[in-house]
Amino acid sequence: MPAFRQVGEKQLPQQIIFMAWSPKRDLIALVNKVGEVLLHRLANFQRVWSLPPNENTGKEVAALAWRPDGKILAFGLADTKRVILCDVEKPESLHSFSVDAPITYMHWMEVTEESSVLTSFYNAEDESNLLLPKLPALPKNYSTTAKIFSEEKSDEIMKLLGDVRLNALVLGGSSGFIEVYAYGMYKIATVTGVAGSCLGLCFSSDLKSLSVVTEVQVSPDSAPEITYFQLDTSLLSVYLPEVTRMARKFTHISTLLQYIKLSLTCMCEAWEEILMQMDSRLTKFVQEKNTTTSVQDEFMQLLLWGKASLELQALLMNQLTVKGLKKLGQSIESSYSSIQKLVISHLQSGSEALLYHLSELKGMASWKQKYESLGLDAAGIDGTVIGLLLITLMFILKTKKGCCLCRCYYCCGLLHLESKRASSMTQKDITFVADFLTEHFNEAPDLYNRKGKYFNVERVGQYLKDEDDDLVSPPNTEGNQWFNFLQNSTHLKESPLLFPYYPQKSLHFVKRRMEGIIDQCLQKPADVIGKAVHQAVCLRLYKGSKSEDSTSRLFKLPFMWNDKSSNLHYVLFTMLESSLSKIYILRRHTDVSRSPDNGLLAVDFGNFLNNSINESSDTSFYSCVDAHFYDDETITVVLKENAEQEGKERILAQLPLSSVYVDENQEREFSLNSNKRLDEQSDDVPTRTVFLESQWRVLENMKAQYVAVNGIRKVSCVLSSNLRHVRVFEMDVEDDGEAEEEEEEEETTPIVDEEAVGENP
């Protein structure tokens, strides 16, 4: 009976360019050539969900990675330079962020190092859950409200954070671009100085080093060189407890910033365009009228004498009808009520929670012995948030006052439309309308040509405009003794002890300023930690191919692996042009100060299809097409025969490392000449010829080319060279189908032409 049990097979309508198994569940993520992200289940390769390409997020998926707990899938987009964190339960974005360069590779690892300090921290409960009330869910009737806050705040934040144990998403791109994000959200390191475009990344679970394989273009006319780097990241390892605390705190802050941003977005959507209809109509009226009197005077004459100019009559009879005014009044009242609720229950609550976490962060920054080396500097961030709170309270007052405007709109129009009844108005009503006209109906000619400015009637909307200009109607500070005292005192006005206050600016301006200061605080540790990362090892491996197909490059070796138990880095690669049949295994200690035995070996595969033939041990019969680590002890390989005849067999096999690293101390060590590339010294690399026993299977009627495996779930997925035909196997069981049934299936099932594009049968 053949090894491994086939549990699924499918012809896919689009070419697959990425595939990755979930670390914890029987799920595999696929990305096809049109930019669609797919999630399939092991059983019968059933599709769970699909996420089509989006113009807003991007269409060119360039990298894919699972979070170690398998709850979140991350993918990078080359066209928009964005990273999306997607919920595995449903195709929805939980979080996204932009990067500075196109991403070419992603790796998500989990820290496994234990210490007494970390253990107590892992077991401690987050006090913010006890001290802070849960943030109210944002309204679902606003189109731009993210699903991240559709449920209770603490549950969503913990979903993003995952387990308390630190995990890190590492991004690699062109021009030496490498960034590390704690929990996939907060950037803890920006690494510079690595040459070339990233082909592979692997961060050690003890945070001591980062392995990188890049493609370096030496000159425009020459083929690129594939180079291996090992970077020393020991600063993260030494300060692991501090990095963990800082990362979780910054992740809370980032999430709350998003909550505040979405609250403002909801407020802007509540502030509908209809709120500005009166302003825009009055602005147009002022620009078109021929009279020299002001708008205030025109309405005053209408109020007192019942007479109006022709332009005002046209405005009132054609645009401000009784029905239109009633509808306008109802819309304004409803919108103001929604805005006021969002301010009190959402914006203010989010700001207070943000202030709590920033205050804790400021306390952490004061502990210089622990956090100064990591670049933590929280100076000035609390004052900015207080400034947001102050302007929020001011906004609450404005919304309360603004709710009466709809009644004023209604009254002004009603005076003319029902002029016969004007004499029945009381003196109190006339005084009320006159005061409103005096306060609000002042012309401002200098504002007519400014983009986004309207006639000064509605005052709430000015706080929601995403502009840096001063408010059209700033709050009246006349008679405010404290404000006058500060303005007249040169020293107090510039004192750092006073919270900043921006009475002339909108909420968006204050929010951007607050985000800028917080981003500066968040960015500094990434810069400091990134500068502490230095290159420990540089190995020039081999020359790549100038005419290499871009699609096959997405799958092609090298493949990188971190052995968490032995603290070893592994790199699997082939040098097809120099030695067609060999697969090379490079391994390094995660501690850059140590060098392992047998740091570089080559593997040849002897004949194992026909055991009756006695072949010499130094003869190679197969070349490696693809290889991935199945677990710390086994490599899964896809092989093809080196025979010259057509119809070469493709083989899926398991290669135990124990058959490669035999009597390690007796092996001849390879001494690398740093002045030459490895492919120029390949004949000197120690070579092991292995003969596989039972752990292999011929892949009949399939031109297999690529493989994705998961040793935890004991599964593999093989992809054909046309990138559309997949087969799924359970690896640690034998095929239990009866031979007779298999023969019948082979007789009745037509052979599929691999190169012909086929749809699902």
Side-chain angles (χ1 to χ4, degrees):
M1 293 185 296
F4 322 139
R5 180 169 61 193
Q6 181 176 326
V7 293
E9 183 173 14
K10 212 161 203 177
Q11 290 281 352
L12 300 173
Q14 297 289 342
Q15 290 184 337
I16 300 301
I17 60 174
F18 288 107
M19 55 184 183
W21 283 102
S22 167
K24 300 294 184 182
R25 303 171 66 178
D26 295 331
L27 298 171
I28 187 171
L30 307 175
V31 177
N32 57 31
K33 205 166 187 179
V34 299
E36 185 180 16
V37 181
L38 308 166
L39 193 66
H40 284 259
R41 198 180 304 278
L42 172 64
N44 300 321
F45 211 71
Q46 176 186 2
R47 181 187 293 186
V48 179
W49 54 251
S50 64
L51 183 63
N54 188 302
E55 293 183 356
N56 297 324
T57 57
K59 298 181 178 181
E60 299 178 14
V61 180
L64 187 71
W66 283 93
R67 196 169 72 176
D69 63 1
K71 294 181 179 179
I72 292 180
L73 178 67
F75 55 94
L77 298 152
D79 50 345
T80 58
K81 300 179 184 178
R82 294 193 64 81
V83 175
I84 310 297
L85 305 187
C86 183
D87 187 358
V88 70
E89 300 295 337
K90 44 192 173 182
E92 293 178 352
S93 172
L94 285 175
H95 181 68
S96 65
F97 57 90
S98 299
V99 292
D100 296 331
I103 298 171
T104 57
Y105 197 85
M106 301 172 67
H107 170 67
W108 210 332
M109 53 74 64
E110 183 180 39
V111 177
T112 57
E113 183 174 330
E114 295 287 353
S115 70
S116 58
V117 177
L118 276 178
T119 302
S120 61
F121 173 65
Y122 291 154
N123 296 331
E125 187 175 5
D126 191 347
E127 291 184 353
S128 62
N129 292 332
L130 302 175
L131 301 177
L132 291 175
K134 292 183 178 180
L135 294 182
L138 290 171
K140 296 182 179 180
N141 56 325
Y142 298 116
S143 59
T144 58
T145 301
K147 301 298 183 181
I148 182 175
F149 292 110
S150 60
E151 303 293 338
E152 295 177 337
K153 180 261 300 187
S154 59
D155 296 337
E156 291 297 337
I157 291 180
M158 292 311 298
K159 194 169 189 177
L160 285 169
L161 292 177
D163 190 4
V164 180
R165 190 184 305 275
L166 180 67
N167 57 73
L169 175 64
V170 190
L171 310 178
S174 57
S175 304
F177 167 80
I178 298 177
E179 291 183 341
V180 183
Y181 288 79
Y183 302 106
M185 295 182 65
Y186 162 55
K187 184 164 59 176
I188 57 174
T190 301
V191 182
T192 57
V194 179
S197 179
C198 179
L199 298 181
L201 288 166
C202 189
F203 208 171
S204 65
S205 60
D206 57 9
L207 295 182
K208 290 184 178 180
S209 61
L210 172 65
S211 283
V212 186
V213 174
T214 67
E215 187 178 54
V216 181
Q217 191 71 42
V218 180
S219 65
D221 299 330
S222 64
E225 284 190 358
I226 310 303
T227 306
Y228 169 79
F229 297 93
Q230 187 175 8
L231 307 179
D232 185 354
T233 60
S234 56
L235 179 67
L236 290 174
S237 177
V238 172
Y239 288 93
L240 178 56
E242 290 76 19
V243 170
T244 303
R245 288 192 180 94
M246 189 173 65
R248 289 183 66 81
K249 189 57 61 180
F250 274 139
T251 305
H252 278 285
I253 292 172
S254 299
T255 310
L256 288 168
L257 284 175
Q258 186 175 1
Y259 181 86
I260 291 175
K261 178 181 178 181
L262 293 173
S263 298
L264 280 175
T265 302
C266 292
M267 291 163 60
C268 292
E269 291 188 5
W271 176 56
E272 298 171 335
E273 185 181 354
I274 196 170
L275 288 176
M276 301 306 298
Q277 288 186 8
M278 177 66 85
D279 290 7
S280 59
R281 288 168 182 172
L282 289 175
T283 300
K284 184 178 180 182
F285 163 66
V286 171
Q287 293 172 338
E288 294 179 353
K289 73 183 181 69
N290 296 320
T291 59
T292 58
T293 57
S294 65
V295 176
Q296 175 186 345
D297 293 338
E298 296 249 3
F299 275 89
M300 280 294 186
Q301 291 179 11
L302 173 63
L303 174 64
L304 297 176
W305 313 113
K307 295 181 180 180
S309 63
L310 295 177
E311 292 86 353
L312 183 57
Q313 290 182 28
L315 172 69
L316 296 175
M317 298 301 295
N318 298 331
Q319 300 187 45
L320 299 181
T321 62
V322 174
K323 183 177 180 181
L325 282 170
K326 287 182 178 179
K327 184 177 180 181
L328 182 64
Q330 293 172 356
S331 298
I332 293 174
E333 187 74 40
S334 175
S335 296
Y336 277 136
S337 178
S338 299
I339 292 174
Q340 186 175 1
K341 181 179 178 181
L342 284 166
V343 171
I344 297 174
S345 62
H346 296 78
L347 184 60
Q348 187 174 356
S349 299
S351 300
E352 291 172 349
L354 182 60
L355 179 60
Y356 169 87
H357 288 289
L358 288 174
S359 299
E360 282 202 339
L361 187 66
K362 194 173 182 68
M364 292 166 57
S366 301
W367 196 352
K368 296 186 180 297
Q369 181 184 0
K370 292 286 188 180
Y371 295 97
E372 187 175 30
S373 300
L374 298 175
L376 182 59
D377 182 12
I381 56 177
D382 52 353
T384 306
V385 180
I386 290 292
L388 178 65
L389 290 175
L390 291 175
I391 202 170
T392 300
L393 295 176
M394 178 180 65
F395 191 84
I396 294 174
L397 297 177
K398 288 295 177 183
T399 52
K400 289 180 178 178
K401 185 176 181 180
C403 291
C404 69
L405 295 185
C406 58
R407 294 190 293 271
C408 296
Y409 289 145
Y410 179 74
C411 292
C412 292
L414 197 61
L415 289 177
H416 176 67
L417 296 175
E418 300 184 11
S419 57
K420 294 182 180 181
R421 297 174 53 191
S423 58
S424 62
M425 294 180 63
T426 64
Q427 184 63 37
K428 183 178 180 181
D429 294 334
I430 296 176
T431 303
F432 174 76
V433 177
D435 290 342
F436 171 77
L437 293 174
T438 302
E439 182 181 358
H440 295 277
F441 277 43
N442 296 317
E443 293 184 37
D446 58 314
L447 300 179
Y448 297 155
N449 297 324
R450 288 170 61 178
K451 183 180 179 181
K453 299 299 182 185
Y454 299 88
F455 194 87
N456 184 17
V457 176
E458 197 273 330
R459 294 195 174 190
V460 174
Q462 64 182 342
Y463 289 90
L464 296 174
K465 291 181 182 178
D466 194 0
E467 299 172 354
D468 292 335
D469 296 329
D470 292 344
L471 299 178
V472 177
S473 300
N476 186 11
T477 58
E478 185 178 354
N480 188 315
Q481 296 180 2
W482 173 251
F483 188 83
N484 294 335
F485 174 69
L486 291 181
Q487 293 300 313
N488 296 329
S489 175
T490 305
H491 299 289
L492 280 178
K493 185 165 56 175
E494 305 297 334
S495 174
L497 300 176
L498 297 176
F499 294 133
Y501 179 48
Y502 309 96
Q504 304 286 335
K505 300 297 184 179
S506 68
L507 278 174
H508 280 281
F509 174 86
V510 180
K511 178 184 71 71
R512 282 196 301 273
R513 183 172 177 82
M514 177 188 66
E515 289 176 339
I517 295 177
I518 294 177
D519 286 344
Q520 183 179 1
C521 177
L522 269 64
Q523 180 64 36
K524 189 174 180 181
D527 294 337
V528 171
I529 295 173
K531 290 178 180 178
V533 176
H534 62 273
Q535 178 181 310
V537 176
C538 177
L539 300 178
R540 298 165 56 208
L541 299 181
Y542 57 93
K543 272 198 172 185
S545 174
K546 292 181 63 175
S547 60
E548 195 164 28
D549 178 60
S550 59
T551 301
S552 64
R553 173 79 270 174
L554 299 174
F555 280 107
K556 195 165 184 179
L557 296 173
F559 177 80
M560 310 182 73
W561 178 263
N562 173 228
D563 184 342
K564 302 177 181 62
S565 59
S566 302
N567 293 326
L568 291 171
H569 283 296
Y570 283 93
V571 183
L572 304 177
F573 59 96
T574 57
M575 298 185 293
L576 300 181
E577 295 168 354
S578 61
S579 53
L580 181 67
S581 61
K582 296 179 181 179
I583 178 173
Y584 293 85
I585 305 178
L586 171 68
R587 66 176 181 176
R588 300 282 309 177
H589 273 295
T590 58
D591 186 346
V592 296
S593 63
R594 300 175 59 192
S595 297
D597 296 330
N598 297 315
L600 180 65
L601 289 177
V603 177
D604 269 343
F605 293 91
N607 189 356
F608 52 87
L609 286 184
N610 190 346
N611 294 329
S612 62
I613 301 177
N614 184 17
E615 303 290 350
S616 61
S617 60
D618 58 350
T619 303
S620 175
F621 286 86
Y622 308 95
S623 58
C624 180
V625 178
D626 195 14
H628 281 215
F629 264 84
Y630 181 75
D631 53 31
D632 291 340
E633 306 295 334
T634 310
I635 299 174
T636 303
V637 293
V638 176
L639 306 174
K640 69 176 181 180
E641 288 186 283
N642 291 335
E644 297 295 334
Q645 69 270 18
E646 294 295 328
K648 301 175 185 178
E649 297 282 7
R650 299 295 172 104
I651 299 158
L652 178 67
Q654 298 284 65
L655 171 64
L657 286 182
S658 58
S659 64
V660 177
Y661 296 101
V662 179
D663 297 329
E664 295 184 7
N665 295 329
Q666 299 178 9
E667 289 285 347
R668 177 173 58 89
E669 285 290 337
F670 171 66
S671 179
L672 178 68
N673 184 349
S674 59
N675 296 322
K676 295 182 179 180
R677 290 193 313 272
L678 180 63
D679 57 358
E680 298 172 337
Q681 311 171 62
S682 59
D683 293 339
D684 297 329
V685 177
T687 302
R688 292 282 300 169
T689 300
V690 296
F691 297 87
L692 302 179
E693 298 179 357
S694 60
Q695 292 298 301
W696 55 269
R697 174 174 180 145
V698 176
L699 301 174
E700 298 175 349
N701 301 325
M702 184 180 191
K703 192 177 179 181
Q705 190 75 21
Y706 308 106
V707 65
V709 296
N710 182 353
I712 298 176
R713 305 303 301 183
K714 305 184 186 307
V715 290
S716 69
C717 180
V718 181
L719 178 66
S720 66
S721 59
N722 70 357
L723 306 180
R724 295 194 179 188
H725 183 192
V726 296
R727 285 183 184 173
V728 185
F729 296 92
E730 290 183 347
M731 300 297 288
D732 284 2
V733 294
E734 292 187 348
D735 196 334
D736 53 1
E738 295 183 0
E740 293 81 6
E741 293 179 357
E742 292 178 352
E743 292 176 359
E744 292 177 2
E745 289 179 2
E746 291 176 359
E747 292 176 358
T748 57
T749 303
I751 298 177
V752 179
D753 184 3
E754 284 287 308
E755 303 304 326
V757 176
E759 300 290 333
N760 291 339

